[in-house]
């Protein structure tokens, strides 16, 4: 049953599990995750103790960017299943007590989308839904602006007419196969509200909004050299965080609020600073926005505590709730991020990947730190998003043959970045199936990204009966979170120093030691600890403990 027993809305303290569907579970043996696989794992997710799932784009797509190139927003990718199966999935998830959040991709479509195809065929109304511009230079041979694509290379591609003559340029902040929509166009705005209704009518509980800060471009289309990184954007660049986006979200909120129960949004908004982020969270806009700092904050008490303050300040401005995340499908998995020396600065994933050759990962240390960081964020008030496989302690897969890599970042990067495939490797479930249980026994195809040898050791079957496993830690933590922390918002720091940080929420006091030596703990029943090995009354290095303080 769906929980709605407290005054706070369900999402305010939910644990949401991110399903990267292509890599989650393969039901039909073609090496690609699908709806059948996901439906079969609903009992696993319910038992894990999460409240909702967020499913990455599952729409028909040529997969130029892992489904973020959507060809049809009202259907299901045939390799994943059918709309009828999606309806069953939503009903089955709800029956198991899980809400369902989808991913909406409003900044761009696939170049195979009917609108873009019509634009290419010369339909003026279709063309007006995208950002076509004449080139600069005597013959229009230069792009309209000097903007760079987030993945690398220019953000404009020039069309070639069927007779071979060059035409106008179109904008794509991401891959050339992802043309940007023109959100000044009323038809674009109306279409997306209809798409929201299409899925809300089917019972979907909310949407994660892809590139929420990018829809509206500064109409000056001026040259700009500002950063175009995937994960750090600057509102001084004319492509990002223009004030015009907020009117769009006010409209979306009206749509979401017209449903009973109201539907919700979580924004992917890479903006600079809390004040800019808080604008997305105003009461008539989006309910939540990912707080992304923990995706790159080094494992250090001195660095982690200010992130908590800053995120809480941001939502306080707007009266919202915080939304924590340690990993997702765009960044190096946190076991591996923590497995190397921790710099003073934010660990940008592209930077992290470039140092792999120079410094070997210590995965035992990475797991130990990951366990500690998990207990730290799971106790913070707010929503928490868990990325599939983190509950198994999966590391990033660093060694992938070049020919097997699928992320457009690998192809387009101009600085040797190998891209994001290493955090998207198909999950090991264990049992008799192929690819450590990702595919059923007798599968007729290998997994779409190769799984390293020996991944059975991370599988669910290898971990579920082991009380010391990462999976057991997640299960215990999510259960205790429901018992002691649900609805608690009374956060207060108890201790802060370079290596040790402690806070209190409800009846729980959380102590994290990011240093190397044991530190004394206050008196109190230890509800859960990420690591043992220290004398009684002490917290070992790289560990977190939850204490019950009445
Ligand atoms: C953000 C998504 O998380 C990422 O995977 C994708 O490549 C870009 N948006 C473009 O849609």
């Amino acid at each position: 049953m769906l929980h709605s027993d407290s005054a706070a809305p369900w999402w305010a303290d939910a644990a949401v599990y991110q399903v990267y569907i292509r890599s989650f579970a393969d039901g039909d043996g073609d090496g690609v995750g699908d709806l059948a696989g996901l439906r079969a794992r609903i009992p696993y997710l319910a038992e894990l103790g999460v409240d909702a799932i967020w499913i990455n784009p599952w729409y028909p797509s040529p997969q130029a960017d892992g489904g973020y190139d959507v060809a049809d927003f009202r259907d299901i990718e045939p390799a994943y299943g059918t709309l009828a199966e999606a309806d069953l999935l939503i009903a089955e998830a709800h029956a198991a007590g899980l809400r369902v959040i989808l991913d909406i991709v409003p900044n761009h479509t696939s170049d195979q989308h009917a609108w873009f195809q019509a634009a290419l065929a010369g339909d003026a109304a279709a063309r007006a839904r995208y950002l076509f511009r004449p080139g600069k230079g005597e013959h229009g041979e230069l792009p309209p602006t000097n903007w760079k694509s987030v993945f690398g290379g220019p953000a404009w591609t020039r069309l070639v007419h069927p007779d071979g003559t060059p035409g106008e340029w179109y904008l794509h902040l991401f891959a050339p196969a992802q043309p940007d929509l023109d959100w000044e166009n009323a038809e674009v705005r109306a279409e997306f509200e209809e798409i929201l209704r299409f899925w809300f009518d089917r019972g979907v509980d909310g949407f994660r909004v892809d590139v929420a800060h990018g829809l509206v471009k500064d109409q000056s289309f001026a040259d700009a050299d500002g950063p175009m990184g995937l994960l750090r954007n600057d509102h001084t660049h004319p492509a990002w965080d223009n004030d015009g986006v907020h009117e769009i979200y006010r409209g979306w909120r009206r749509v979401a609020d017209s449903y009973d129960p109201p539907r919700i949004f979580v924004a992917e908004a890479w903006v600079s600073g809390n004040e800019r982020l808080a604008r997305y969270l105003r009461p008539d806009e989006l309910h939540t926005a990912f707080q992304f700092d923990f995706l790159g904050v080094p494992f250090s008490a001195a660095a982690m505590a200010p992130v908590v303050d800053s995120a809480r300040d941001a939502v306080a401005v707007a009266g919202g709730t915080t939304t924590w995340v340690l990993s997702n499908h765009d960044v190096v998995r946190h076991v591996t991020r923590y497995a190397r020396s921790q710099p003073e600065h934010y660990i940008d994933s592209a930077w992290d990947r470039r140092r792999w050759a120079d410094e070997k990962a210590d995965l035992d240390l990475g797991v130990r730190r990951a366990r500690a960081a998990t207990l730290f964020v799971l106790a913070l008030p707010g929503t928490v998003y868990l990325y599939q496989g983190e509950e198994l302690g999966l590391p990033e897969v660093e060694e992938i043959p070049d020919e097997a890599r699928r992320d457009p970042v690998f192809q387009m990067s101009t600085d040797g970045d190998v891209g994001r495939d290493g955090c998207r490797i198909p999950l090991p479930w264990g049992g008799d199936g192929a690819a450590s249980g990702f595919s059923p026994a007798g599968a007729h195809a290998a997994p779409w990204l190769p799984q390293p040898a020996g991944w059975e050791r991370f599988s669910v079957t290898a971990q579920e009966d082991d009380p010391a496993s990462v999976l057991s830690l997640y299960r215990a933590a999510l259960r205790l979170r429901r018992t002691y922390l649900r609805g608690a918002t009374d956060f207060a720091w108890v201790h802060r120093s370079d290596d040790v940080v402690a806070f209190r929420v409800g009846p729980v006091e959380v102590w994290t030691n990011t240093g190397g030596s044991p530190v004394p703990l206050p008196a109190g029943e230890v509800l859960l600890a990420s690591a043992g090995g220290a004398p009684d009354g002490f917290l070992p290095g790289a560990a977190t403990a939850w204490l019950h303080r009445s």
Side-chain angles (χ1 to χ4, degrees):
M1 283 295 100
L2 298 173
H3 296 278
S4 59
D5 46 352
S6 79
W10 70 266
W11 44 268
D13 53 14
V16 185
Y17 185 98
Q18 178 187 350
V19 175
Y20 193 78
I21 186 161
R22 206 169 179 76
S23 300
F24 184 70
D26 169 18
D28 64 3
D30 65 355
V32 170
D34 50 31
L35 284 171
L38 175 52
R39 286 174 61 202
R41 303 294 175 182
I42 285 176
Y44 166 82
L45 295 169
E47 195 186 337
L48 180 61
V50 295
D51 304 295
I53 54 176
W54 151 36
I55 306 170
N56 285 102
W58 63 1
Y59 316 105
S61 163
Q63 304 292 326
D65 179 21
Y68 283 94
D69 48 321
V70 179
D72 179 357
F73 289 93
R74 293 182 177 80
D75 207 345
I76 296 290
E77 161 63 36
Y80 300 159
T82 63
L83 209 45
E85 277 180 285
D87 289 337
L88 289 173
L89 168 84
I90 295 164
E92 289 162 1
H94 284 171
L98 300 171
R99 258 93 177 186
V100 179
I101 297 173
L102 300 185
D103 210 320
I104 191 150
V105 189
N107 181 68
H108 42 263
T109 68
S110 161
D111 60 357
Q112 301 305 309
H113 190 284
W115 277 7
F116 196 72
Q117 289 297 310
L120 292 184
D123 177 332
R127 210 174 161 89
R129 298 176 195 131
Y130 293 90
L131 289 161
F132 286 91
R133 292 288 183 277
K136 286 184 182 162
E138 202 182 332
H139 306 290
E141 70 279 12
L142 299 173
T145 72
N146 67 348
W147 298 1
K148 298 274 175 277
S149 146
V150 166
F151 293 155
W156 299 89
T157 291
R158 194 173 193 185
L159 288 186
V160 179
H161 295 304
D163 65 2
T165 56
E168 289 197 325
W169 300 70
Y170 68 90
L171 179 72
H172 51 87
L173 292 180
F174 296 90
Q178 294 168 293
D180 276 48
L181 288 162
D182 184 356
W183 276 85
E184 303 299 322
N185 182 302
E187 287 176 12
V188 170
R189 292 188 182 227
E191 170 72 355
F192 273 86
E193 293 200 359
E194 287 307 312
I195 292 166
L196 294 178
R197 288 198 177 89
F198 176 87
W199 291 104
F200 288 158
D201 287 346
R202 304 189 100 86
V204 161
D205 299 282
F207 276 98
R208 176 255 191 198
V209 184
D210 188 61
V211 201
H213 56 302
L215 277 47
V216 172
K217 277 70 181 180
D218 186 312
Q219 294 301 298
S220 68
F221 283 91
D223 278 353
D225 295 318
M228 288 299 280
L230 174 59
L231 309 181
R232 297 268 121 182
N233 301 151
D234 183 342
H235 70 271
T236 59
H237 192 289
W240 300 132
D241 196 22
N242 286 292
D243 289 343
V245 292
H246 298 289
E247 188 51 37
I248 297 169
Y249 300 132
R250 282 191 274 272
W252 288 19
R253 181 62 178 256
R254 286 191 290 274
V255 174
D257 283 349
S258 72
Y259 284 81
D260 182 18
R263 310 306 203 238
I264 65 122
F265 297 106
V266 56
E268 184 212 25
W270 294 96
V271 299
S272 45
N274 285 336
E275 192 272 334
R276 301 295 306 181
L277 188 64
R279 290 166 187 242
Y280 291 78
L281 301 174
R282 288 176 284 202
D284 59 346
E285 295 195 35
L286 304 176
H287 306 71
T288 54
F290 293 116
Q291 209 298 332
F292 281 135
D293 281 350
F294 278 122
L295 294 183
V297 164
F299 185 76
S300 139
M304 287 155 73
V307 170
V308 175
D309 283 338
S310 135
R312 288 173 54 76
D313 288 350
V315 299
V317 174
T321 60
T322 40
T323 301
W324 311 106
V325 44
L326 282 172
S327 270
N328 66 26
H329 64 294
D330 288 329
V331 300
V332 173
R333 282 189 178 274
H334 59 276
V335 162
T336 298
R337 210 161 62 223
Y338 293 146
R340 291 185 166 85
S341 54
Q342 300 293 283
E344 296 277 308
H345 58 79
Y346 183 88
I347 306 175
D348 172 75
S349 280
W351 175 87
D352 205 12
R353 289 188 285 259
R354 281 196 295 274
R355 71 172 168 154
W356 287 349
D358 305 324
E359 188 183 339
K360 196 172 163 357
D362 176 348
L363 290 179
D364 288 343
L365 179 62
V367 170
R368 189 178 170 93
R369 288 172 168 170
R371 292 172 63 107
T374 296
L375 290 198
F376 182 86
V377 297
L378 277 179
L380 292 167
T383 319
V384 63
Y385 280 74
L386 309 173
Y387 177 46
Q388 69 179 36
E390 68 168 80
E391 83 279 17
L392 304 178
L394 289 185
E396 182 85 2
V397 175
E398 300 183 13
E399 302 293 331
I400 301 175
D402 286 357
E403 62 278 11
R405 291 198 179 272
R406 294 286 171 268
D407 183 3
V409 170
F410 176 67
Q411 306 294 343
M412 293 175 66
S413 150
T414 50
D415 60 2
D417 186 357
V418 295
R420 303 163 292 179
D421 292 312
C423 66
R424 301 174 175 177
I425 302 298
L427 288 194
W429 292 94
D432 300 334
S436 313
F438 171 67
S439 295
H444 53 273
W448 73 281
L449 278 175
Q451 211 186 48
W455 257 34
E456 291 86 355
R457 74 184 185 284
F458 295 116
S459 70
V460 174
T461 46
Q463 296 198 37
E464 60 191 349
D465 297 326
D466 174 3
S469 69
V470 179
L471 179 58
S472 296
L473 182 78
Y474 271 75
R475 285 182 172 163
L478 288 164
R479 194 174 57 247
L480 290 168
R481 181 181 153 98
R482 276 191 180 161
T483 308
Y484 292 105
L485 298 168
R486 171 153 272 158
T489 54
D490 55 335
F491 176 94
W493 292 114
V494 174
H495 178 93
R496 281 173 78 157
S497 61
D498 279 357
D499 285 341
V500 181
V501 65
F503 61 85
R504 186 175 180 135
V505 179
V508 178
E509 208 166 280
V510 177
W511 283 75
T512 295
N513 176 9
T514 59
S517 324
V519 295
L521 277 176
E525 178 202 354
V526 176
L527 292 171
L528 188 62
S530 69
D536 263 5
F538 282 79
L539 178 65
T544 295
W546 290 4
L547 304 182
H548 190 234
R549 312 288 306 273
S550 44

